[in-house]
Amino acid sequence: MNGHTPRAEPDLPEIAAGDVTAVRALDDVERTVPARLTDPLRHPEHAGERIRTRRAWTLLGSTLLVPGSAQLAAGRRPVGRAALKVDVVVWAAVVLALLSALLWRTPLVWFVTNSVTSLLLVAGLAALALGWAYLFLDTLRLARPGLLAPRARRAVAAATVALVLVTSGGLGYSAYLLSVARGAVSDIFGGGLPFGPSEGRYNILLMGGDSGADRSGRRPDSMTVISVDADSGRTVSVSLPRNLQNAPFPEDSPLAEVYPEGFNCGDECILNALYTDVTNNYAELYPDAQDPGAEAMKDAAEGALGIEIQAYALIDMTGFEELVDALGGITIDVGGRVPIGGGTDLTTGLPNEIFGYIEPGVQHMDGYHALWYARSREGATDYDRQARQRCVQAAMLKQLNPVNVVSRFQELAQSGTQVVETDIPQSQIGSFVNLALKAKEHEMGQFAAGPPYYDPSFPTYPDYDRLHADVERVLREATDEGAPSAAGLPGGGAGPAGLAMAVAVPAAQPLVPAEELSANGTCSVP
């Protein structure tokens, strides 16, 4: 009609009324079949054996490299997304820490050593360890070990255990080490605000104390001021003889009124006796001090050298043996035979028995032998002992390498809290770490208020004005500006223990011929 030919309808099969339900049911099944039923990541049961094995290893590798990615790929999206967010935060923190380590270490060291932030870091590392272990175990479940061949199943399970031990175990051990370090730092260092340099230098009094059974109270047998240039890190150690007499005190010291003419009360008033004298008789003059004797020694060192002493560190020799053992021993090239024992019994006046000797040559000493090497008096002068003690200090510093510290960290921390006492505030650690790294770039200069830099009579009849002038010269030369002029000084070559010597030349008179150390006091650190 109307000129149009009717369109032919296609031939359709006849469907019985009873078949309509069957067609609808088939259509419903097609619509409910998952679109990716054959995806091997989510449905490994439809994959071949080789693909299943490859899938399991891929999931494990993904959890190792990007924790949470395996869960995201296998369909556990909430867990995967949460883990990936943690990944981003952790990597951002790592990058920030690396930038701080390269550009400005002080905030990083403060964060690690501060009592509050270090506790947060310990908790964070422990949480990461547990979280990573959970992700690996969940990945093993997603790998469907039951679908793997027996050999592949055992290999995947063993690899999962190994990866958990390496990753979570490593994080957990790091948290443990940081917890130990946190306890040691809190026990050793004090509170308070950090202090600044004095005339461009940090001056720390380092003492070796001895409170053995044959002593009445603790006396510092060795006293050394470590002076570090705040800009360059150039360092000089200035030794104070234990028998230095008439040590003066700064005007603001409470001992200036007690001893207006200096620590001068006869032959018994040598420098190291001041510690016991103040501890027993004048502790009230230092009411805020944790250790009045140590504070008094700082005042005496200030007066003797003419420089401000900002802090002290005292190593108690009663725990020194444990500290050396914790380091795994120290190695020293011994110049002369040193007795173990000897000396005089203060009660009877008779000679003490000699139990053996530390023989010349390169010796690896345990704590017992290192302690005797540092303190033996038999056949030695005080200057011999001081030289040996400097070698022991240098050998201990050499042993403090990263591998040794990590492997023996717990022993070092435990012995350190028993051996080391200091008033350096915990908040100072960050700036001192920076300074120590600078100091490693230079050799340490050495000087002493006695032989071999002065006549042997100098500690008994000291000229403090002259000593002040010499110390000022030595410290001025321990700077980037003063170092070139120091190179031409006599004796400016290699000194004891392989360290550079900074020899002071008095402005008005030549250096008095120095007393040579005996073989008992010669040593070096190989």
Side-chain angles (χ1 to χ4, degrees):
M1 291 180 298
N2 300 326
H4 292 285
T5 304
R7 185 176 60 183
E9 295 294 334
D11 294 334
L12 294 176
E14 294 183 1
I15 301 176
D19 294 335
V20 175
T21 303
V23 172
R24 288 177 178 174
L26 179 60
D27 186 55
D28 290 341
V29 170
E30 289 177 348
R31 283 198 295 266
T32 57
V33 171
R36 303 185 66 187
L37 188 62
T38 58
D39 181 358
L41 275 175
R42 299 189 182 186
H43 301 282
E45 64 273 13
H46 298 291
E49 180 179 320
R50 181 179 298 178
I51 293 178
R52 293 175 187 173
T53 303
R54 186 184 303 168
R55 171 183 178 275
W57 289 113
T58 301
L59 291 176
L60 277 181
S62 299
T63 303
L64 174 64
L65 298 176
V66 186
S69 59
Q71 282 71 22
L72 200 62
R76 295 203 63 194
R77 293 185 180 277
V79 175
R81 287 170 180 165
L84 289 177
K85 290 177 181 178
V86 175
D87 292 346
V88 172
V89 173
V90 170
W91 277 110
V94 169
V95 170
L96 188 62
L98 290 175
L99 289 175
S100 179
L102 292 173
L103 303 176
W104 189 24
R105 298 183 188 91
T106 302
L108 178 62
V109 177
W110 176 87
F111 187 88
V112 174
T113 57
N114 180 271
S115 58
V116 176
T117 53
S118 61
L119 180 60
L120 294 176
L121 187 55
V122 169
L125 289 173
L128 287 176
L130 292 174
W132 212 348
Y134 167 77
L135 289 177
F136 270 116
L137 295 178
D138 187 59
T139 299
L140 180 63
R141 181 185 66 81
L142 293 174
R144 306 283 291 275
L147 297 178
L148 301 176
R151 185 175 179 179
R153 184 188 311 140
R154 289 191 295 269
V156 169
T160 303
V161 172
L163 290 173
V164 169
L165 291 176
V166 171
T167 56
S168 296
L171 288 173
Y173 187 63
S174 298
Y176 164 74
L177 290 182
L178 185 57
S179 177
V180 172
R182 179 176 177 273
V185 167
S186 298
D187 290 341
I188 293 175
F189 292 90
L193 298 175
F195 51 82
S198 172
E199 298 184 1
R201 304 192 73 88
Y202 290 100
N203 303 311
I204 312 298
L205 176 62
L206 178 62
M207 297 178 284
D210 200 342
S211 56
D214 59 341
R215 299 290 185 93
S216 56
R218 180 164 64 181
R219 286 190 177 194
D221 271 357
S222 65
M223 292 149 285
T224 303
V225 172
I226 306 298
S227 180
V228 189
D229 181 59
D231 293 327
S232 66
R234 293 183 182 272
T235 306
V236 176
S237 69
V238 183
S239 297
L240 291 165
R242 62 185 289 273
N243 61 334
L244 187 67
Q245 298 196 18
N246 303 339
F249 299 98
E251 293 181 359
D252 59 349
S253 169
L255 290 175
E257 296 183 8
V258 179
Y259 296 107
E261 302 300 324
F263 191 46
N264 182 11
C265 59
D267 291 341
E268 67 272 16
C269 278
I270 58 177
L271 181 59
N272 80 326
L274 177 65
Y275 186 100
T276 305
D277 180 55
V278 170
T279 300
N280 294 339
N281 304 315
Y282 301 107
E284 71 279 0
L285 297 178
Y286 299 91
D288 299 325
Q290 180 181 356
D291 188 339
E295 292 296 327
M297 296 300 295
K298 283 169 57 178
D299 286 352
E302 276 195 19
L305 301 180
I307 58 177
E308 180 184 353
I309 308 297
Q310 295 116 318
Y312 76 88
L314 193 152
I315 300 177
D316 195 333
M317 302 301 282
T318 56
F320 177 80
E321 185 174 335
E322 294 180 16
L323 182 59
V324 174
D325 285 337
L327 279 171
I330 58 175
T331 302
I332 294 177
D333 191 350
V334 177
R337 210 178 193 207
V338 176
I340 299 175
T344 303
D345 189 306
L346 298 179
T347 303
T348 64
L350 299 175
N352 291 321
E353 181 182 357
I354 294 177
F355 303 100
Y357 292 89
I358 298 171
E359 300 294 343
V362 176
Q363 303 286 351
H364 187 76
M365 305 179 193
D366 58 13
Y368 172 81
H369 290 88
L371 178 59
W372 270 111
Y373 188 72
R375 69 186 297 193
S376 177
R377 288 190 174 88
E378 182 69 24
T381 66
D382 281 341
Y383 312 113
D384 290 330
R385 294 177 66 241
Q386 289 173 8
R388 284 190 264 114
Q389 288 166 3
R390 287 195 292 268
C391 282
V392 169
Q393 291 171 4
M396 291 179 68
L397 289 174
K398 187 174 182 179
Q399 281 292 92
L400 289 172
N401 58 75
V403 174
N404 205 21
V405 169
V406 171
S407 62
R408 301 175 180 271
F409 192 84
Q410 182 178 6
E411 296 90 339
L412 285 172
Q414 289 176 347
S415 59
T417 56
Q418 301 170 18
V419 173
V420 180
E421 171 192 317
T422 183
D423 63 347
I424 297 174
Q426 188 172 333
S427 56
Q428 192 84 42
I429 298 176
S431 59
F432 273 15
V433 167
N434 269 337
L435 204 58
L437 293 173
K438 290 182 182 179
K440 288 181 65 175
E441 300 174 2
H442 310 283
E443 291 185 327
M444 180 187 291
Q446 292 188 8
F447 185 63
Y453 305 94
Y454 296 98
D455 184 87
S457 64
F458 187 89
T460 306
Y461 306 100
D463 182 345
Y464 286 111
D465 289 337
R466 174 185 167 189
L467 180 58
H468 291 178
D470 292 347
V471 169
E472 181 182 359
R473 180 186 297 270
V474 169
L475 298 186
R476 185 167 62 248
E477 289 161 354
T479 61
D480 282 344
E481 294 78 12
S485 62
L489 289 176
L499 301 175
M501 295 183 71
V503 180
V505 179
Q509 51 188 312
L511 184 68
V512 177
E515 177 185 60
E516 294 291 335
L517 294 172
S518 72
N520 182 288
T522 58
C523 56
S524 63
V525 179

